[in-house]
Amino acid sequence: MSRLIDVNENIEHALEQLKIAVQDAIRHSATSADRPFTHIDDISELVAVYRKEHGLSKGDFTLMAGVTPHTMRRFENEPTSMRVDTLMSILQSFGMTLYAGPIDE
């Protein structure tokens, strides 16, 4: 039983280290995804650019966001159907947030 606990702790530690590394890379990069958008459908594109630029697989992304593969597919294909708390959780797991404000035209 203690070996299983050790394995789980190692996995949790590795995921935490991966999450920290990705968040650090995002904060310190001048990425093309660092741009405002004006439509909810752009969110999944923005996150996909971050994911690809930082070498994350969809599986890594799903693990780090703490969501199921089904939820991640919905996020990528139909972000307008997501619950706000789920959307915010996904964004926050990568050091991102959602800002609502006036659109400059």
Side-chain angles (χ1 to χ4, degrees):
M1 183 68 158
S2 81
R3 290 182 80 188
L4 181 58
I5 292 171
D6 290 342
V7 169
N8 285 339
E9 288 175 356
N10 288 341
I11 290 171
E12 287 177 18
H13 179 71
L15 285 173
E16 187 61 31
Q17 292 299 314
L18 179 62
K19 182 177 178 179
I20 291 168
V22 169
Q23 289 173 343
D24 191 50
I26 289 170
R27 274 192 292 276
H28 294 98
S29 69
T31 174
S32 60
D34 190 19
R35 62 175 173 77
F37 60 90
T38 58
H39 195 275
I40 190 75
D41 288 330
D42 293 339
I43 290 176
S44 56
E45 178 187 336
L46 174 77
V47 172
V49 169
Y50 271 120
R51 182 181 64 76
K52 291 172 187 173
E53 287 180 350
H54 298 292
L56 292 171
S57 70
K58 288 183 180 184
D60 292 337
F61 186 89
T62 300
L63 283 172
M64 289 177 64
V67 297
T68 65
H70 172 75
T71 298
M72 192 53 62
R73 279 190 299 278
R74 262 191 35 237
F75 174 74
E76 291 173 345
N77 299 317
E78 304 171 45
T80 58
S81 70
M82 304 245 3
R83 290 180 17 190
V84 173
D85 62 331
T86 303
L87 176 62
M88 293 301 293
S89 176
I90 291 170
L91 293 175
Q92 288 174 351
S93 69
F94 293 94
M96 302 170 83
T97 190
L98 185 62
Y99 169 78
I103 298 173
D104 296 329
E105 294 187 32

XYZ file of all heavy atoms in Angstrom:
827
model
N 0.821 -1.194 0.000
C 0.000 0.000 0.000
C 0.867 1.261 0.000
O 0.532 2.234 -0.630
C -0.930 -0.043 1.218
C -1.876 1.110 1.268
S -3.075 1.038 -0.065
C -4.345 2.014 0.601
N 1.999 1.229 0.745
C 2.835 2.422 0.814
C 3.483 2.716 -0.539
O 3.742 3.868 -0.859
C 3.882 2.309 1.913
O 4.983 1.566 1.491
N 3.750 1.659 -1.345
C 4.312 1.894 -2.688
C 3.317 2.649 -3.558
O 3.698 3.518 -4.329
C 4.703 0.574 -3.337
C 5.904 -0.065 -2.679
C 6.305 -1.316 -3.346
N 7.069 -0.958 -4.542
C 7.444 -1.816 -5.446
N 7.127 -3.089 -5.332
N 8.146 -1.429 -6.485
N 2.020 2.316 -3.420
C 0.984 3.004 -4.182
C 0.898 4.466 -3.761
O 0.784 5.360 -4.608
C -0.368 2.316 -3.989
C -1.548 2.898 -4.745
C -1.282 2.899 -6.248
C -2.807 2.123 -4.444
N 0.989 4.729 -2.489
C 0.967 6.109 -1.990
C 2.174 6.865 -2.528
O 2.054 8.004 -2.970
C 0.926 6.131 -0.443
C -0.431 5.590 0.040
C 1.172 7.537 0.089
C -0.518 5.361 1.533
N 3.359 6.218 -2.522
C 4.566 6.852 -3.051
C 4.402 7.189 -4.531
O 4.792 8.273 -4.976
C 5.788 5.945 -2.874
C 6.217 5.804 -1.424
O 5.814 6.653 -0.592
O 6.947 4.845 -1.126
N 3.834 6.269 -5.305
C 3.616 6.505 -6.742
C 2.662 7.662 -6.941
O 2.907 8.557 -7.760
C 3.089 5.221 -7.433
C 2.606 5.525 -8.841
C 4.165 4.149 -7.456
N 1.556 7.683 -6.195
C 0.592 8.778 -6.312
C 1.227 10.118 -5.951
O 0.981 11.124 -6.615
C -0.634 8.524 -5.431
C -1.558 7.483 -6.015
O -1.523 7.213 -7.224
N -2.369 6.881 -5.180
N 2.031 10.132 -4.916
C 2.705 11.367 -4.522
C 3.687 11.820 -5.597
O 3.793 13.009 -5.887
C 3.423 11.185 -3.182
C 2.481 11.110 -2.006
C 3.190 10.815 -0.688
O 4.420 10.595 -0.681
O 2.486 10.798 0.339
N 4.394 10.870 -6.216
C 5.328 11.205 -7.295
C 4.592 11.773 -8.492
O 5.058 12.732 -9.113
C 6.149 9.979 -7.708
C 7.189 9.600 -6.670
O 7.550 10.400 -5.818
N 7.650 8.371 -6.736
N 3.466 11.194 -8.823
C 2.668 11.688 -9.952
C 2.159 13.087 -9.659
O 2.255 13.984 -10.498
C 1.501 10.726 -10.270
C 2.048 9.423 -10.857
C 0.502 11.374 -11.232
C 1.014 8.328 -11.005
N 1.617 13.285 -8.463
C 1.122 14.612 -8.087
C 2.253 15.641 -8.120
O 2.062 16.759 -8.592
C 0.480 14.568 -6.703
C -0.859 13.867 -6.693
C -1.451 13.776 -5.296
O -1.022 14.536 -4.397
O -2.340 12.934 -5.112
N 3.410 15.269 -7.628
C 4.557 16.183 -7.628
C 4.976 16.520 -9.065
O 5.228 17.683 -9.384
C 5.727 15.571 -6.859
C 6.942 16.428 -6.827
N 7.005 17.593 -6.084
C 8.134 16.324 -7.468
C 8.179 18.158 -6.259
N 8.891 17.408 -7.097
N 5.030 15.510 -9.936
C 5.418 15.736 -11.330
C 4.408 16.643 -12.032
O 4.798 17.544 -12.790
C 5.537 14.405 -12.075
N 3.123 16.434 -11.793
C 2.106 17.295 -12.407
C 2.221 18.729 -11.895
O 2.074 19.680 -12.673
C 0.702 16.748 -12.132
C 0.298 15.521 -12.936
C -1.044 14.988 -12.455
C 0.241 15.845 -14.419
N 2.481 18.886 -10.620
C 2.638 20.233 -10.054
C 3.854 20.923 -10.662
O 3.803 22.102 -11.004
C 2.753 20.165 -8.530
C 2.756 21.524 -7.874
C 1.485 22.328 -8.121
O 0.397 21.758 -8.269
O 1.601 23.573 -8.181
N 4.942 20.195 -10.825
C 6.145 20.764 -11.434
C 5.882 21.143 -12.892
O 6.337 22.195 -13.356
C 7.311 19.776 -11.337
C 7.796 19.542 -9.932
C 8.296 20.817 -9.282
O 9.036 21.576 -9.874
N 7.867 21.064 -8.060
N 5.152 20.298 -13.620
C 4.805 20.599 -15.009
C 3.931 21.849 -15.086
O 4.165 22.735 -15.909
C 4.087 19.408 -15.645
C 3.626 19.573 -17.086
C 4.805 19.813 -18.023
C 2.841 18.333 -17.519
N 2.970 21.943 -14.202
C 2.083 23.106 -14.170
C 2.878 24.385 -13.889
O 2.696 25.393 -14.566
C 1.016 22.899 -13.092
C 0.012 24.009 -12.990
C -1.033 23.668 -11.939
C -2.032 24.765 -11.769
N -3.061 24.443 -10.770
N 3.779 24.338 -12.930
C 4.602 25.504 -12.597
C 5.473 25.900 -13.777
O 5.590 27.078 -14.116
C 5.455 25.220 -11.345
C 4.561 25.134 -10.108
C 6.532 26.280 -11.158
C 5.256 24.579 -8.874
N 6.078 24.914 -14.438
C 6.946 25.195 -15.586
C 6.173 25.835 -16.720
O 6.640 26.794 -17.353
C 7.625 23.917 -16.062
N 4.982 25.340 -16.988
C 4.166 25.908 -18.076
C 3.729 27.323 -17.724
O 3.813 28.233 -18.546
C 2.952 25.009 -18.380
C 1.962 25.709 -19.294
C 3.416 23.708 -19.012
N 3.268 27.525 -16.508
C 2.852 28.868 -16.101
C 4.018 29.847 -16.170
O 3.855 30.980 -16.608
C 2.246 28.836 -14.698
C 0.899 28.170 -14.655
C 0.369 27.994 -13.241
O 1.104 28.072 -12.265
N -0.918 27.740 -13.147
N 5.186 29.415 -15.769
C 6.375 30.259 -15.840
C 6.717 30.595 -17.295
O 7.014 31.738 -17.624
C 7.547 29.567 -15.159
C 8.723 30.495 -14.980
O 8.520 31.619 -14.472
O 9.845 30.098 -15.346
N 6.659 29.600 -18.155
C 6.955 29.826 -19.578
C 5.950 30.783 -20.196
O 6.305 31.658 -20.982
C 6.962 28.495 -20.326
N 4.699 30.644 -19.837
C 3.659 31.532 -20.369
C 3.898 32.962 -19.901
O 3.834 33.903 -20.680
C 2.252 31.042 -19.957
C 1.900 29.770 -20.716
C 1.204 32.127 -20.219
C 0.646 29.071 -20.216
N 4.214 33.114 -18.615
C 4.445 34.467 -18.084
C 5.651 35.143 -18.718
O 5.681 36.353 -18.870
C 4.636 34.404 -16.573
C 3.361 34.437 -15.788
C 3.636 34.675 -14.319
N 4.308 33.556 -13.683
C 3.696 32.483 -13.198
N 2.396 32.378 -13.305
N 4.370 31.516 -12.629
N 6.651 34.369 -19.091
C 7.886 34.945 -19.604
C 8.025 34.903 -21.116
O 9.082 35.196 -21.644
C 9.090 34.253 -18.949
C 9.175 34.528 -17.498
N 8.701 33.650 -16.569
C 9.628 35.603 -16.805
C 8.882 34.157 -15.364
N 9.438 35.345 -15.479
N 6.970 34.555 -21.795
C 7.063 34.486 -23.256
C 6.315 35.647 -23.891
O 5.367 36.170 -23.339
C 6.504 33.168 -23.773
O 5.104 33.126 -23.601
N 6.792 36.049 -25.042
C 6.086 37.046 -25.842
C 5.421 36.262 -26.961
O 5.906 36.169 -28.061
C 7.061 38.074 -26.395
N 4.331 35.646 -26.618
C 3.682 34.734 -27.549
C 2.638 35.432 -28.404
O 2.037 36.401 -27.978
C 3.053 33.551 -26.794
O 2.317 32.747 -27.702
C 2.107 33.998 -25.721
N 2.429 34.894 -29.577
C 1.425 35.469 -30.460
C 0.029 35.290 -29.904
O -0.908 35.924 -30.348
C 1.523 34.817 -31.848
O 1.301 33.427 -31.750
N -0.130 34.399 -28.921
C -1.442 34.205 -28.311
C -1.750 35.286 -27.283
O -2.847 35.354 -26.774
C -1.505 32.833 -27.647
N -0.772 36.130 -26.991
C -0.958 37.183 -26.012
C -1.628 38.380 -26.686
O -1.012 39.399 -26.942
C 0.391 37.576 -25.411
C 0.230 38.498 -24.219
O -0.875 38.539 -23.649
O 1.212 39.159 -23.872
N -2.881 38.220 -26.951
C -3.625 39.241 -27.672
C -5.071 39.236 -27.187
O -5.564 38.217 -26.724
C -3.594 38.961 -29.168
C -4.256 37.633 -29.516
C -4.334 37.404 -31.012
N -4.804 36.081 -31.310
C -6.059 35.661 -31.246
N -7.008 36.465 -30.842
N -6.398 34.428 -31.561
N -5.735 40.356 -27.278
C -7.149 40.362 -26.906
C -7.979 39.688 -27.998
O -7.564 39.602 -29.143
C -7.483 41.856 -26.807
C -6.486 42.519 -27.679
C -5.247 41.676 -27.650
N -9.123 39.219 -27.624
C -10.042 38.669 -28.610
C -11.421 39.231 -28.331
O -11.699 39.729 -27.255
C -10.046 37.140 -28.601
C -10.442 36.550 -27.283
C -11.770 36.281 -27.014
C -9.496 36.276 -26.325
C -12.139 35.740 -25.799
C -9.861 35.739 -25.111
C -11.186 35.466 -24.849
N -12.280 39.143 -29.310
C -13.590 39.766 -29.160
C -14.744 38.782 -29.276
O -15.889 39.191 -29.256
C -13.780 40.876 -30.215
O -13.633 40.298 -31.508
C -12.781 41.988 -30.014
N -14.454 37.500 -29.394
C -15.524 36.522 -29.486
C -15.168 35.291 -28.661
O -14.018 34.862 -28.646
C -15.771 36.125 -30.953
C -17.067 35.417 -31.130
N -17.193 34.071 -30.932
C -18.298 35.867 -31.448
C -18.451 33.708 -31.143
N -19.137 34.779 -31.455
N -16.152 34.716 -27.990
C -15.931 33.567 -27.120
C -15.298 32.391 -27.864
O -14.516 31.637 -27.293
C -17.254 33.149 -26.427
C -17.004 32.119 -25.324
C -18.244 32.610 -27.415
C -16.415 32.686 -24.091
N -15.583 32.223 -29.140
C -14.994 31.124 -29.903
C -13.475 31.247 -30.001
O -12.788 30.250 -30.240
C -15.595 31.056 -31.311
C -17.028 30.556 -31.307
O -17.381 29.768 -30.409
O -17.800 30.939 -32.208
N -12.938 32.448 -29.828
C -11.491 32.652 -29.909
C -10.743 32.074 -28.705
O -9.531 31.886 -28.767
C -11.167 34.147 -30.014
C -11.631 34.750 -31.323
O -11.837 33.998 -32.291
O -11.791 35.984 -31.367
N -11.442 31.795 -27.615
C -10.777 31.298 -26.409
C -10.069 29.988 -26.679
O -8.906 29.813 -26.318
C -11.776 31.130 -25.248
C -12.242 32.498 -24.758
C -11.154 30.348 -24.099
C -13.300 32.425 -23.689
N -10.753 29.052 -27.321
C -10.127 27.749 -27.544
C -8.922 27.876 -28.482
O -7.920 27.187 -28.313
C -11.129 26.732 -28.074
O -11.737 27.191 -29.251
N -8.993 28.781 -29.444
C -7.849 29.015 -30.339
C -6.674 29.597 -29.556
O -5.530 29.172 -29.715
C -8.239 29.962 -31.468
C -7.100 30.296 -32.398
C -7.462 31.373 -33.413
O -8.651 31.551 -33.707
O -6.529 32.027 -33.900
N -6.948 30.547 -28.693
C -5.920 31.172 -27.873
C -5.204 30.135 -27.006
O -3.980 30.071 -26.967
C -6.550 32.248 -26.983
C -5.659 32.907 -25.955
C -4.749 33.919 -26.637
C -6.504 33.594 -24.900
N -5.969 29.287 -26.334
C -5.379 28.273 -25.470
C -4.628 27.233 -26.296
O -3.556 26.769 -25.897
C -6.455 27.632 -24.567
C -5.891 26.444 -23.805
C -6.996 28.670 -23.593
N -5.145 26.878 -27.471
C -4.443 25.918 -28.343
C -3.080 26.459 -28.759
O -2.101 25.721 -28.800
C -5.292 25.598 -29.567
N -3.001 27.751 -29.048
C -1.716 28.360 -29.408
C -0.747 28.257 -28.236
O 0.402 27.857 -28.404
C -1.901 29.832 -29.858
C -0.567 30.543 -29.968
C -2.652 29.884 -31.182
N -1.203 28.599 -27.023
C -0.353 28.465 -25.839
C 0.113 27.021 -25.683
O 1.279 26.754 -25.430
C -1.106 28.870 -24.569
C -1.000 30.322 -24.219
C -2.138 31.115 -24.137
C 0.223 30.919 -23.943
C -2.056 32.455 -23.794
C 0.316 32.256 -23.595
C -0.830 33.011 -23.524
O -0.745 34.320 -23.185
N -0.828 26.077 -25.794
C -0.506 24.668 -25.606
C 0.580 24.223 -26.580
O 1.572 23.622 -26.194
C -1.769 23.813 -25.788
C -1.538 22.331 -25.575
C -2.800 21.531 -25.795
N -3.311 21.590 -27.143
C -2.796 20.935 -28.185
N -1.721 20.189 -28.049
N -3.353 21.038 -29.376
N 0.416 24.570 -27.845
C 1.375 24.156 -28.873
C 2.718 24.853 -28.708
O 3.768 24.232 -28.857
C 0.799 24.418 -30.258
C -0.360 23.509 -30.585
C -1.033 23.911 -31.876
C -2.298 23.090 -32.100
N -3.060 23.574 -33.255
N 2.708 26.147 -28.404
C 3.951 26.891 -28.252
C 4.779 26.412 -27.063
O 5.988 26.600 -27.029
C 3.678 28.391 -28.136
C 3.254 29.006 -29.449
C 2.981 30.493 -29.352
O 2.939 31.042 -28.227
O 2.792 31.112 -30.406
N 4.118 25.790 -26.097
C 4.831 25.320 -24.920
C 4.998 23.808 -24.920
O 5.374 23.221 -23.901
C 4.140 25.808 -23.655
C 4.137 27.305 -23.571
N 5.292 28.039 -23.381
C 3.151 28.204 -23.715
C 5.000 29.326 -23.393
N 3.716 29.452 -23.601
N 4.762 23.192 -26.082
C 5.036 21.773 -26.261
C 4.177 20.829 -25.456
O 4.622 19.738 -25.110
N 2.969 21.226 -25.140
C 2.082 20.366 -24.363
C 1.189 19.544 -25.280
O 0.636 20.073 -26.250
C 1.180 21.207 -23.458
C 1.852 21.933 -22.316
C 0.879 22.885 -21.658
C 2.365 20.932 -21.305
N 1.029 18.293 -24.945
C 0.066 17.462 -25.673
C -1.329 17.770 -25.144
O -1.478 18.386 -24.081
C 0.374 15.980 -25.461
O 0.070 15.600 -24.128
N -2.335 17.325 -25.861
C -3.705 17.503 -25.359
C -3.897 16.744 -24.051
O -4.617 17.193 -23.170
C -4.716 17.052 -26.408
C -4.815 18.001 -27.574
C -5.882 17.571 -28.556
C -5.955 18.561 -29.715
N -7.040 18.234 -30.642
N -3.222 15.603 -23.925
C -3.309 14.832 -22.679
C -2.705 15.582 -21.506
O -3.274 15.601 -20.412
N -1.527 16.201 -21.721
C -0.902 17.015 -20.669
C -1.838 18.140 -20.265
O -2.035 18.418 -19.081
C 0.410 17.642 -21.160
C 1.508 16.631 -21.399
O 1.459 15.540 -20.818
O 2.429 16.956 -22.187
N -2.390 18.788 -21.263
C -3.282 19.914 -21.035
C -4.481 19.480 -20.199
O -4.864 20.146 -19.236
C -3.724 20.461 -22.391
C -4.542 21.711 -22.320
C -3.934 22.944 -22.323
C -5.915 21.655 -22.268
C -4.679 24.105 -22.265
C -6.679 22.808 -22.221
C -6.054 24.035 -22.215
N -5.069 18.341 -20.553
C -6.239 17.831 -19.842
C -5.895 17.521 -18.389
O -6.645 17.876 -17.478
C -6.780 16.572 -20.555
O -7.139 16.936 -21.889
C -7.991 16.008 -19.867
N -4.739 16.883 -18.161
C -4.320 16.576 -16.794
C -4.091 17.840 -15.981
O -4.517 17.945 -14.831
C -3.026 15.756 -16.805
C -3.156 14.286 -17.141
C -1.774 13.661 -17.296
C -3.949 13.550 -16.066
N -3.414 18.810 -16.570
C -3.113 20.041 -15.849
C -4.363 20.840 -15.527
O -4.456 21.468 -14.488
C -2.136 20.898 -16.644
C -0.749 20.305 -16.683
S 0.366 21.271 -17.681
C 0.405 22.799 -16.739
N -5.327 20.817 -16.440
C -6.567 21.556 -16.225
C -7.495 20.826 -15.260
O -8.437 21.420 -14.737
C -7.272 21.787 -17.559
N -7.240 19.543 -15.033
C -8.059 18.784 -14.095
C -9.458 18.505 -14.611
O -10.409 18.491 -13.833
N -9.574 18.318 -15.919
C -10.876 18.035 -16.510
C -10.806 16.723 -17.286
O -9.734 16.196 -17.546
C -11.349 19.177 -17.446
C -11.551 20.462 -16.668
C -10.376 19.389 -18.587
N -11.959 16.222 -17.670
C -12.013 14.978 -18.433
C -11.700 15.260 -19.901
O -11.851 16.403 -20.371
C -13.412 14.340 -18.346
O -14.349 15.209 -18.989
C -13.819 14.086 -16.898
N -11.278 14.238 -20.637
C -11.065 14.428 -22.078
C -12.327 14.940 -22.792
O -12.242 15.750 -23.701
C -10.671 13.037 -22.567
C -10.024 12.397 -21.381
C -10.826 12.909 -20.195
N -13.506 14.477 -22.337
C -14.767 14.950 -22.936
C -14.930 16.461 -22.741
O -15.289 17.187 -23.673
C -15.960 14.206 -22.325
C -17.285 14.754 -22.741
N -17.810 14.539 -23.994
C -18.167 15.544 -22.082
C -18.977 15.167 -24.080
N -19.204 15.780 -22.941
N -14.641 16.938 -21.534
C -14.753 18.374 -21.262
C -13.755 19.149 -22.116
O -14.076 20.208 -22.650
C -14.510 18.653 -19.765
O -15.519 17.980 -19.012
C -14.550 20.141 -19.460
N -12.554 18.612 -22.271
C -11.556 19.299 -23.084
C -11.984 19.362 -24.545
O -11.808 20.392 -25.210
C -10.197 18.608 -22.957
C -9.072 19.424 -23.526
S -8.966 21.115 -22.872
C -8.678 20.814 -21.151
N -12.582 18.294 -25.063
C -13.078 18.330 -26.444
C -14.171 19.391 -26.593
O -14.202 20.116 -27.580
C -13.602 16.953 -26.869
C -12.504 15.998 -27.288
C -13.059 14.749 -27.936
N -13.923 13.970 -27.049
C -13.490 13.104 -26.133
N -12.205 12.898 -25.980
N -14.341 12.442 -25.387
N -15.061 19.469 -25.590
C -16.106 20.507 -25.630
C -15.475 21.893 -25.611
O -15.900 22.800 -26.319
C -17.052 20.361 -24.449
C -18.310 19.638 -24.804
C -19.416 19.668 -23.763
N -19.525 20.877 -22.995
C -19.459 20.917 -21.668
N -19.248 19.831 -20.968
N -19.600 22.053 -21.029
N -14.458 22.065 -24.787
C -13.758 23.353 -24.698
C -13.165 23.731 -26.052
O -13.255 24.869 -26.488
C -12.667 23.282 -23.634
C -11.809 24.508 -23.579
C -12.294 25.681 -23.034
C -10.528 24.496 -24.081
C -11.512 26.818 -22.980
C -9.741 25.625 -24.036
C -10.230 26.792 -23.482
N -12.549 22.752 -26.724
C -11.905 23.026 -28.005
C -12.918 23.250 -29.134
O -12.672 24.051 -30.026
C -10.976 21.873 -28.382
C -9.768 21.787 -27.478
C -8.934 20.554 -27.749
O -9.412 19.622 -28.427
O -7.791 20.526 -27.269
N -14.028 22.547 -29.094
C -14.969 22.587 -30.211
C -16.192 23.464 -29.998
O -16.751 23.974 -30.959
C -15.427 21.166 -30.562
C -14.269 20.296 -30.983
O -13.414 20.733 -31.733
N -14.237 19.081 -30.479
N -16.638 23.600 -28.754
C -17.849 24.364 -28.468
C -17.699 25.179 -27.188
O -18.411 24.935 -26.220
C -19.038 23.413 -28.296
C -19.304 22.486 -29.451
C -20.367 21.449 -29.085
O -21.385 21.843 -28.490
O -20.150 20.269 -29.387
N -16.790 26.139 -27.152
C -16.580 26.875 -25.897
C -17.817 27.645 -25.441
O -17.952 27.922 -24.253
C -15.417 27.815 -26.212
C -15.398 27.931 -27.693
C -15.931 26.629 -28.220
N -18.719 27.944 -26.350
C -19.916 28.683 -25.946
C -20.864 27.825 -25.123
O -21.735 28.354 -24.457
C -20.672 29.232 -27.175
O -21.022 28.138 -28.030
C -19.841 30.240 -27.930
N -20.683 26.492 -25.130
C -21.560 25.618 -24.357
C -20.994 25.276 -22.981
O -21.602 24.556 -22.216
C -21.815 24.310 -25.130
O -20.643 23.526 -25.179
N -19.818 25.836 -22.654
C -19.171 25.522 -21.378
C -19.782 26.332 -20.243
O -20.175 27.477 -20.431
C -17.670 25.857 -21.444
C -16.962 25.173 -22.541
S -15.716 23.973 -22.158
C -15.593 23.752 -20.478
N -19.788 25.727 -19.062
C -20.166 26.476 -17.870
C -19.038 27.450 -17.563
O -17.855 27.148 -17.777
C -20.363 25.533 -16.696
C -21.581 24.668 -16.832
C -21.788 23.741 -15.677
N -21.046 24.078 -14.472
C -20.953 23.287 -13.427
N -21.533 22.124 -13.426
N -20.264 23.650 -12.367
N -19.367 28.602 -17.060
C -18.364 29.631 -16.783
C -17.347 29.142 -15.764
O -16.142 29.361 -15.934
C -19.031 30.946 -16.312
C -17.985 31.950 -15.854
C -19.880 31.535 -17.414
N -17.778 28.447 -14.718
C -16.825 27.983 -13.707
C -15.842 26.965 -14.290
O -14.660 26.979 -13.946
C -17.536 27.430 -12.475
C -18.412 26.217 -12.761
O -18.942 26.089 -13.887
O -18.583 25.388 -11.844
N -16.288 26.123 -15.218
C -15.390 25.170 -15.864
C -14.402 25.907 -16.755
O -13.205 25.625 -16.742
C -16.186 24.137 -16.685
O -17.111 23.475 -15.829
C -15.272 23.117 -17.328
N -14.903 26.850 -17.513
C -14.044 27.660 -18.385
C -12.988 28.393 -17.561
O -11.798 28.364 -17.883
C -14.890 28.659 -19.174
C -14.150 29.647 -20.056
C -13.356 28.930 -21.133
C -15.138 30.609 -20.675
N -13.396 29.013 -16.469
C -12.459 29.740 -15.615
C -11.434 28.792 -14.996
O -10.252 29.132 -14.892
C -13.205 30.504 -14.520
C -14.056 31.644 -15.046
S -13.112 32.877 -15.948
C -12.113 33.554 -14.641
N -11.857 27.619 -14.597
C -10.941 26.635 -14.017
C -9.868 26.226 -15.019
O -8.686 26.144 -14.669
C -11.726 25.414 -13.560
O -10.862 24.421 -13.081
N -10.267 25.991 -16.268
C -9.306 25.624 -17.305
C -8.315 26.760 -17.519
O -7.103 26.553 -17.540
C -10.021 25.261 -18.624
C -10.794 23.948 -18.461
C -9.031 25.166 -19.782
C -11.720 23.629 -19.614
N -8.810 27.965 -17.662
C -7.935 29.113 -17.901
C -6.996 29.348 -16.716
O -5.799 29.586 -16.896
C -8.758 30.361 -18.194
C -9.555 30.354 -19.504
C -10.426 31.593 -19.603
C -8.646 30.233 -20.706
N -7.527 29.280 -15.506
C -6.713 29.538 -14.318
C -5.611 28.509 -14.134
O -4.537 28.827 -13.620
C -7.590 29.601 -13.073
C -8.413 30.863 -13.023
C -9.401 30.876 -11.870
O -9.595 29.888 -11.182
N -10.044 32.022 -11.672
N -5.847 27.280 -14.563
C -4.817 26.259 -14.401
C -3.584 26.566 -15.243
O -2.523 25.999 -15.022
C -5.373 24.870 -14.733
O -5.655 24.751 -16.107
N -3.707 27.488 -16.195
C -2.576 27.888 -17.029
C -2.171 29.332 -16.796
O -1.494 29.937 -17.612
C -2.906 27.646 -18.504
C -3.023 26.196 -18.800
C -4.245 25.578 -18.776
C -1.894 25.437 -19.014
C -4.355 24.217 -18.990
C -1.989 24.075 -19.226
C -3.223 23.466 -19.213
N -2.612 29.886 -15.659
C -2.224 31.244 -15.333
C -2.920 32.284 -16.196
O -2.416 33.387 -16.369
N -4.064 31.931 -16.749
C -4.807 32.845 -17.607
C -6.103 33.233 -16.900
O -6.530 32.583 -15.957
C -5.130 32.171 -18.945
C -3.906 31.701 -19.699
S -4.318 30.657 -21.104
C -4.694 31.916 -22.319
N -6.722 34.285 -17.359
C -8.005 34.701 -16.819
C -8.878 35.193 -17.949
O -8.409 35.392 -19.069
C -7.835 35.786 -15.737
O -9.092 35.980 -15.091
C -7.352 37.101 -16.326
N -10.111 35.415 -17.636
C -11.067 35.931 -18.603
C -11.435 37.351 -18.162
O -11.785 37.564 -17.015
C -12.307 35.040 -18.634
C -13.377 35.339 -19.651
C -12.808 35.190 -21.074
C -14.538 34.391 -19.477
N -11.299 38.279 -19.047
C -11.583 39.678 -18.744
C -12.743 40.136 -19.603
O -12.747 39.900 -20.810
C -10.360 40.544 -19.021
C -10.653 42.019 -18.989
C -10.787 42.694 -17.790
C -10.807 42.736 -20.174
C -11.058 44.041 -17.768
C -11.077 44.084 -20.150
C -11.211 44.738 -18.947
O -11.490 46.076 -18.931
N -13.710 40.771 -18.982
C -14.828 41.334 -19.733
C -14.745 42.851 -19.615
O -14.546 43.384 -18.533
C -16.155 40.820 -19.181
N -14.871 43.521 -20.722
C -14.806 44.967 -20.721
C -15.268 45.504 -22.055
O -15.647 44.740 -22.954
N -15.225 46.797 -22.214
C -15.674 47.388 -23.468
C -14.759 47.000 -24.622
O -13.556 46.808 -24.451
C -15.613 48.894 -23.209
C -14.695 49.050 -22.055
C -14.749 47.787 -21.268
N -15.347 46.857 -25.772
C -14.591 46.537 -26.977
C -14.201 47.832 -27.654
O -15.050 48.661 -27.966
C -15.433 45.686 -27.952
C -15.786 44.361 -27.280
C -14.677 45.448 -29.247
C -16.753 43.522 -28.090
N -12.897 48.021 -27.821
C -12.423 49.194 -28.548
C -12.631 48.959 -30.033
O -12.181 47.954 -30.574
C -10.927 49.436 -28.296
C -10.663 49.765 -26.834
O -11.558 50.357 -26.201
O -9.579 49.428 -26.346
N -13.293 49.886 -30.667
C -13.534 49.724 -32.099
C -12.744 50.715 -32.898
O -12.354 51.719 -32.540
C -15.008 49.870 -32.402
C -15.783 48.723 -31.768
C -17.232 48.734 -32.192
O -17.569 49.145 -33.302
O -18.034 48.317 -31.361
